Amino acid sequence: MQLTVRDVMNIDVIKGAKVRTAENLLHMRPVVSVSVIEMPVEDFVQKNELVLTTAISCGKDVNLFLKFVQDIIHSQAAALVIATGRHVTEIPEEILHLAETCKFPIIEIPWEIRFADITQSVLSVLHNWYRASLKRSEELQKKLLNFFLHGATLSDAAEAIHQELGSPVVIVDKKGTVKGKSSESEPLLNKWERCFPPSAPESEVGNLHAIEDSIMQLKIQTSNKLQGYLLFSLPSEIPADSFLAIEKDPLWKHSLTAVALWFQREDAIEETKMRLKDDFVWTLAQGDFDSWDKVLSRAKSLDYNVLLPYVCILGFPENMEAIFKEAKSDETSFEHWFFGMTRSMEELMIQAGEALQRKTMITHQRDRFILFLEVPPDQIQQTVEEFLDLVEKRLVKLLPGLVMSWGIGENHAGVRTFRESFNDARIALDIGRRQKGPGHRSTYANTGLFRALLTLASNPEMQEITLSTIGALIDYENQRGLDLMNTLTAYIRNQGNVSQTARALNLHRQSLLYRLRKIESLTGRSLVDPDDLFLLELSIKLWTTGVILNQK
């Protein structure tokens, strides 16, 4: 798998060397490069590097020599090779004790062996190892690609990697679902399942995680998107930290690239299926289908049951752009981020339905989620509230600070009433956002008054009455900036009580009285006459629909 210090010790030029410490651990120390160094060490030694030294800079100072070796150990070098005979006649016991305590190999070589010969030989072995590893990895990649093109499974891919690696392999998606496994992999799978979902690993390099001491986990990614993990086990006597350098092994790079193709194909299939589902749900909402037989046929192919009672719920995310800007992500555009988030939000809504054992059909069209939720005819409101409570709880975890507005078409909940319930939900959402603002749930039933006002406001005669009643008030407010409409609304809401109205508006009593006299003067109506008050209140409500403003 990886060249180790034990392999280096078998090179002819270094066979005269003597291992002074941690001899039984040489096979666990990967070697990725070789260098010659004297003090100071600083950052000149990389991890898993074989270090050669004469220790000339230490002189006869044992403490300085000890500090030098400590720095080498701290740099996580593979081993330290010390040439003895001139500057160091004998390696001090303090040095050997330190290295043995740290389980760090120190190798002693005669002064006569040239560092240049060692360096050249080690680099040659490393080069040959890399070429052989590259050839193995390319052959494995070809085999995996051939498997993929001929419809083999991820278990076939895992078995091929197992045969090359000599260790059991398991492939899982990012949720932990097993997608493929090799033979002899049950012990590995059982260990890993106890660790899932994986916590932050104690040791990590790039895409490689060490889980416990005998399980390695490699990320499978496509276009910076995490798809899943490739897991393999190590012999129990070998610590995982000793093998973190394998990420540089081309075997893994090529294997992961090939394995990712299975996930990409599954993504493409799933995305196509999602688009078909989107189109179908949108067709149900629009009522745009030729015959019910065709609807039943398409529903069956998409694993939908359209013969159950459903209610339509519309969801409108109010502040997605603000959340995106706050995240300050420079890696993707808002459109790309928004598409991914809407898919994640749809998935959460589907999971919420599953948790409540309710069927759902969902799509995202025109910036709104259109969702049909299975409901018992006698528990519509209770089921919807329970569902939305669960959805909002999960959405806030996904997108903290998200504000959702909901419209519920409960008036036509039932069997084969998709278009009617959708239209009710649309009206409830639009009116609810206009009446209450963002972040509320509105049912079709609680928009009855506003719908009646819309009907009245569309009548030309009522428009004329409204403008003749409060038109001068509106014009004065626009010209002078005095908030008379809100003052009149508060006065009516407080049933003509001047003191309560003043407190509600945070106004001085005399200021409020001045405004009330101005309102009477502009409208020609008395604020103590019940008929005049009724007409003023009705005119204000009609004006707030926005219909008369558009006409004006």
Side-chain angles (χ1 to χ4, degrees), residues 179-198:
K179 309 298 289 186
K181 58 183 180 179
S182 70
S183 56
E184 304 174 5
S185 61
E186 288 305 321
L188 165 64
L189 189 56
N190 292 335
K191 280 185 181 179
W192 182 81
E193 284 176 343
R194 291 198 300 269
C195 303
F196 189 84

Side-chain angles (χ1 to χ4, degrees), residues 302-316:
L302 296 172
D303 197 27
Y304 280 152
N305 185 350
V306 292
L307 297 176
L308 297 172
Y310 288 94
V311 64
C312 184
I313 303 172
L314 296 189
F316 186 85

Side-chain angles (χ1 to χ4, degrees), residues 128-186:
N128 291 336
W129 170 84
Y130 184 81
R131 287 184 61 186
S133 179
L134 185 61
K135 184 177 180 181
R136 286 170 50 225
S137 67
E138 287 175 346
E139 289 175 352
L140 177 59
Q141 187 181 48
K142 288 179 181 177
K143 179 184 281 189
L144 293 175
L145 289 174
N146 190 53
F147 280 173
F148 175 77
L149 293 173
H150 288 83
T153 66
L154 276 172
S155 289
D156 297 321
E159 183 61 33
I161 299 172
H162 172 207
Q163 294 301 323
E164 181 62 41
L165 180 65
S167 177
V169 171
V170 173
I171 298 170
V172 299
D173 64 17
K174 61 184 179 182
K175 295 180 182 178
T177 304
V178 176
K179 309 298 289 186
K181 58 183 180 179
S182 70
S183 56
E184 304 174 5
S185 61
E186 288 305 321

Side-chain angles (χ1 to χ4, degrees), residues 373-437:
L373 173 69
E374 177 198 356
V375 289
D378 57 341
Q379 295 180 354
I380 297 172
Q381 183 176 351
Q382 178 184 340
T383 304
V384 169
E385 291 296 327
E386 189 177 4
F387 173 77
L388 291 182
D389 286 344
L390 185 55
V391 166
E392 287 184 342
K393 183 178 179 181
R394 297 187 178 194
L395 286 179
V396 169
K397 286 185 179 180
L398 175 68
L399 292 170
L402 176 67
V403 177
M404 288 289 295
S405 297
W406 303 96
I408 303 157
E410 82 295 342
N411 193 52
H412 280 99
V415 179
R416 294 179 59 171
T417 56
F418 300 106
R419 181 173 62 177
E420 293 83 356
S421 187
F422 166 73
N423 287 331
D424 289 352
R426 178 176 52 79
I427 292 170
L429 177 65
D430 293 344
I431 292 178
R433 293 180 70 217
R434 194 181 304 178
Q435 275 189 308
K436 305 176 185 177

Side-chain angles (χ1 to χ4, degrees), residues 203-224:
S203 52
E204 176 180 343
V205 174
N207 296 326
L208 180 66
H209 294 191
I211 302 178
E212 294 187 338
D213 285 334
S214 58
I215 304 177
M216 302 299 288
Q217 173 180 283
L218 284 158
K219 291 181 181 178
I220 302 170
Q221 293 178 301
T222 56
S223 302
N224 295 322

